[in-house]
Amino acid sequence: MTDWTTADIPSLSGKTAVVTGATGGLGYETAMALAGAGAIVILTGRNDAKGLRAIEGICERFPNALIAYEHLDLASLASVADFTRRFAAGNEQLDLLGNNAGVMALPKRQQTADGFEMQLGTNYLGHYALTAQLLPQLRRAKAARVVNVSSLAHRSGAINFDDLQAKHSYRPWRAYCQSKLAMLMFSLELQRRSLAAGWGLTSLAAHPGYARTDLIANGPGANTFQSRVSRWLQPFISQSAAEGALPTLLAATSPAAQPGGYYGPNGFYELKGPPRSAKIMPQAKDFASAAMLWDVSATLTGISFDEIAAAA
Ligand SMILES: NC(=O)c1ccc[n+]([C@@H]2O[C@H](COP(=O)([O-])OP(=O)(O)OC[C@H]3O[C@@H](n4cnc5c(N)ncnc54)[C@H](OP(=O)(O)O)[C@@H]3O)[C@@H](O)[C@H]2O)c1
């Protein structure tokens, strides 16, 4: 079997996609490839100047790209709700949602506008709220896909229900691993719930291995010991942002992608290489914890998939 590449993306003409955190890194590359395949792509981000530069970059490569930028700060439930209202006003349906935005290992505990620990709030709870509020548009699409970006970090993750927001004890990497495990559990649970309730959408997950992006600079910072070590190792164990986006793109577009599947690079420890099925750790397959996380997320955000589905 030959390796999957962007050349395998089918025509996406007439499809609408939303990508979060598309102002840089993997989200930008994902949006670029989707636009190149003819999709109408809405790039979203928290930094409008970067968003406009991203639009210019994509238009330089694909002058006929059907793209727009919209403000969407996942660290604010008000911003998420505002975006989904604007999206619903202009769009009947949504074919593809790429839940990609994220921050990693912030050295000091920070909070979102709603008081959530920043990594859980941005990486997971914001995407939970976004997906739920886009459910009516996703359901109207013929075969919508939601792709949730997780990480190798989910392997070391645990959901600490007793201190979900790390109020009592904050460790940067532990909070990151928890948020990425939460994304993978959410992805699997969304697939189960969609099947059970007949929402008609497919949920998949992906991870990029280790891709060279701004994630370290935006998180732990370029001058930490870990960053220096990882810079030294980069040439051997990392890949470009465009290569890192391939698992997301496969999950988003390949007819062969499996509902509830998880995709990542095929090389040593899934750090780099062409995309294929990735390893899911047992804690991500803990259905009882996933159901509990779903309920806790509904309580924390005040947003219920079931209520939104019933009202649509
Ligand atoms: N790079 C890797 O090796 C790696 C490995 C595993 C998983 N991941 C995951 O891949 C995803 C993308 O990361 P990346 O590597 O591409 O890093 P990146 O270059 O730092 O890009 C992250 C994107 O998320 C955006 N973002 C951060 N906080 C946001 C918020 N509150 N609201 C909206 N957007 C926000 C950033 O916006 P700004 O442009 O404003 O900063 C940026 O567009 C993340 O979920 C990350 O956890 C990456």
Side-chain angles (χ1 to χ4, degrees), residues 82-92 133-134 136-137 140:
D82 198 41
F83 168 76
T84 57
R85 266 194 299 273
R86 279 182 278 125
F87 182 83
N91 297 274
E92 264 296 295
Q133 288 172 105
L134 289 173
Q137 288 73 36
R140 267 182 230 126

Side-chain angles (χ1 to χ4, degrees), residues 8 36 55 78 82 98 146 150 161 164 171 197 210 213 216-217 224 231 244 254 283 309:
D8 295 305
I55 294 282
D82 198 41
V146 178
S150 182
F161 286 106
L164 204 56
R171 294 218 199 116
Y210 176 12
T213 66
I216 291 176
T224 58
R231 249 200 319 275
S254 169
Q283 66 268 35

Side-chain angles (χ1 to χ4, degrees), residues 20-28 44-47 50 72-76 99-104 118 122-123 127 149-153 176 180 206-216 218 241:
T20 68
T23 52
L26 305 168
Y28 174 72
T44 68
R46 61 180 172 176
N47 179 331
K50 274 184 87 172
L72 165 54
D73 183 352
L74 285 149
S76 158
N99 285 330
N100 162 80
V103 283
M104 179 177 79
M118 186 60 81
T122 304
N123 303 0
H127 284 126
V149 177
S150 182
S151 168
L152 283 169
Y176 182 66
K180 288 287 140 180
H207 81 86
Y210 176 12
R212 295 182 294 276
T213 66
D214 291 335
L215 196 63
I216 291 176
N218 282 338

